[in-house]
Amino acid sequence: GILQHPDGTVLKQLQPPPRGPREQEFYNKVYDPHCCDSILLELRKYLPKYFGVWSPPTAPNDTYLKLEDVTRKFNKPCIMDVKIGQKSYDPYASVEKIQQQVSKYPLMEEIGFLVLGMRVYHVSSDSYETQNQHYGRNLTKETVKDGISKFFHSGYCLRKDVVAASIQKIEKILEWFEGQTQLNFYASSLLFVYEGSCQAATVRLSDVTLVEKRGVPKGVLSGGDVLECNNNIHVMNSTENGKIEASVSKGLSKFYALHKKSCLKRRDGQLSLQVENLEQDNVWKSSTCIAQEHLNGNVLPQLEKVFYHMPAETKESANVEVRMIDFAHVFPSDVKDEGYIYGLKNLITVLRNILDN
């Protein structure tokens, strides 16, 4: 398992040869202070930072890789480990090893990835749901989309902001793989981490979806560009008796209140949005109904000005990390890593389908 060092890093015990020394050699090569290879320097962006090896004073023969704790900055980290590639065995694996790996997940070659486990924080119950490797191995072509979407569900709603940010980060890694022919990766994983707590530090515009451009409560906008979305109202499709039901999604980092002076400011041509600290009991309500007669169609154009004309970089990044991990089976190559590329592309396709639906 992974141990935590008092200085905030994590310790991964070196595996027996040849796997452990191979992984150590990989990290040493990428993080060589004298490295001037642009491919390897670019790769550093997608790995946990490496701080060399460490041994406890009481057991000097035990060696650990000292790595960045990617989860450290999160309050309620949601974590998923996804093995990437069409093959989970390396070119030097024995016939027995190949058969063993293939039998664990026969669909690996077709799907291109395997969920090794996940831990998801549910705001509704203030608890974590954990799935082990058997969960992922039971996923089929028909169920893999729903199986992965479980990781992005807060207990109240689907975290589409996190899905979108994850796609963009995977695309960056894919871009690196498309441009390199030095290394091939087998049985390596992507580690996904995002903030599961509803008390997020920053509001993302992508958290709010205007469903079918329906009306918004009168008074939502006042004083020009002042926008207030108290109680995290999200207008839904259903209508009943002249009312639109609006439900609160507790798991998303929704708009609490965007005030002209403190929360919605234009600086250097960009908009800065910050969440105000509101009392929990006053913010979260299970549902609220908005009378049809209180809807004002004139509000929509002003909302569109706020929602649809934000700088692209504002919409891109939620509080999400996607890092490559596990490098015991990385080998030199002179061709593209087509198996890993296939897995990344297929994973992106599944995540896009989750967004579309």
Side-chain angles (χ1 to χ4, degrees):
I2 300 294
L3 305 178
Q4 192 154 24
H5 193 279
D7 66 5
T9 59
V10 293
L11 303 170
K12 178 182 180 181
Q13 189 164 23
L14 209 64
Q15 300 178 68
R19 292 175 296 169
R22 188 186 295 132
E23 184 165 27
Q24 182 182 353
E25 180 184 358
F26 169 81
Y27 274 113
N28 285 338
K29 182 177 181 179
V30 174
Y31 283 94
D32 185 338
H34 303 294
C35 177
C36 56
D37 187 327
S38 61
I39 295 295
L40 298 183
L41 293 175
E42 174 75 13
L43 178 60
R44 291 181 184 180
K45 298 179 182 179
Y46 313 118
L47 312 182
K49 292 184 179 66
Y50 174 61
F51 302 100
V53 296
W54 178 88
S55 296
T58 56
N61 292 327
D62 291 346
T63 305
Y64 293 82
L65 299 173
K66 202 164 186 284
L67 302 167
E68 172 191 5
D69 182 359
V70 180
T71 71
R72 190 181 184 194
K73 68 179 181 179
F74 297 93
N75 179 33
K76 298 290 185 181
C78 298
I79 306 169
M80 179 170 66
D81 185 335
V82 182
K83 185 183 290 187
I84 304 293
Q86 291 179 285
K87 296 178 181 178
S88 57
Y89 53 88
D90 64 53
Y92 303 100
S94 64
V95 174
E96 293 77 17
K97 181 67 173 179
I98 292 173
Q99 291 176 344
Q100 178 194 48
Q101 290 297 315
V102 171
S103 66
K104 287 182 179 180
Y105 194 54
L107 289 174
M108 189 78 179
E109 187 169 355
E110 187 172 356
I111 293 180
F113 60 86
L114 167 63
V115 177
L116 293 179
M118 66 175 69
R119 187 168 180 260
V120 190
Y121 177 72
H122 286 173
V123 181
S124 53
S125 59
D126 188 25
S127 63
Y128 281 94
E129 176 185 355
T130 302
Q131 302 290 349
N132 61 22
Q133 56 187 330
H134 299 292
Y135 172 82
R137 288 172 182 163
N138 287 326
L139 296 178
T140 65
K141 290 183 295 182
E142 293 73 28
T143 62
V144 67
K145 180 173 73 71
D146 291 337
I148 287 185
S149 67
K150 183 186 288 286
F151 173 66
F152 299 100
H153 207 284
S154 70
Y156 276 100
C157 61
L158 183 68
R159 290 290 303 271
K160 286 197 170 187
D161 61 322
V162 176
V163 180
S166 298
I167 291 172
Q168 289 167 348
K169 290 181 181 293
I170 299 170
E171 286 175 337
K172 291 291 185 183
I173 296 174
L174 174 60
E175 188 177 326
W176 181 85
F177 270 91
E178 293 280 16
Q180 72 90 23
T181 56
Q182 292 187 30
L183 300 169
N184 278 6
F185 294 73
Y186 302 90
S188 184
S189 293
L190 290 183
L191 183 71
F192 293 77
V193 189
Y194 73 88
E195 179 58 65
S197 171
C198 61
Q199 299 296 332
T202 305
V203 171
R204 309 309 313 176
L205 284 180
S206 54
D207 291 344
V208 175
T209 302
L210 295 180
V211 182
E212 293 184 358
K213 292 191 176 182
R214 290 191 177 275
V216 181
K218 183 177 180 180
V220 165
L221 287 179
S222 62
D225 58 354
V226 178
L227 173 65
E228 294 184 357
C229 297
N230 293 325
N231 297 329
N232 297 342
I233 293 172
H234 177 200
V235 181
M236 305 297 285
N237 280 319
S238 58
T239 60
E240 183 179 2
N241 298 329
K243 296 182 179 180
I244 292 182
E245 182 179 355
S247 67
V248 178
S249 295
K250 198 173 181 182
L252 281 175
S253 304
K254 290 289 190 179
F255 290 89
Y256 298 143
L258 304 180
H259 295 285
K260 190 175 196 177
K261 294 183 179 179
S262 60
C263 296
L264 184 54
K265 299 180 181 180
R266 182 172 294 275
R267 295 177 180 172
D268 299 326
Q270 296 185 0
L271 290 173
S272 175
L273 299 171
Q274 295 182 340
V275 179
E276 290 202 339
N277 293 324
L278 302 182
E279 292 294 334
Q280 184 81 358
D281 292 340
N282 293 333
V283 173
W284 305 119
K285 297 181 180 180
S286 59
S287 64
T288 184
C289 288
I290 306 166
Q292 185 73 41
E293 59 267 23
H294 289 163
L295 298 179
N296 182 354
N298 296 327
V299 167
L300 186 58
Q302 299 176 69
L303 276 175
E304 288 180 324
K305 182 174 70 173
V306 176
F307 290 137
Y308 299 141
H309 301 286
M310 295 295 290
E313 60 270 19
T314 305
K315 301 175 184 178
E316 285 180 0
S317 57
N319 199 6
V320 179
E321 291 285 353
V322 179
R323 304 289 186 92
M324 297 171 61
I325 59 171
D326 297 337
F327 306 111
H329 302 276
V330 178
F331 295 90
S333 175
D334 56 3
V335 296
K336 286 185 180 181
D337 191 342
E338 296 294 350
Y340 202 104
I341 290 173
Y342 176 89
L344 290 177
K345 287 182 176 179
N346 215 26
L347 180 57
I348 289 171
T349 298
V350 171
L351 293 178
R352 283 177 177 164
N353 287 338
I354 292 173
L355 271 186
D356 292 342
N357 293 333

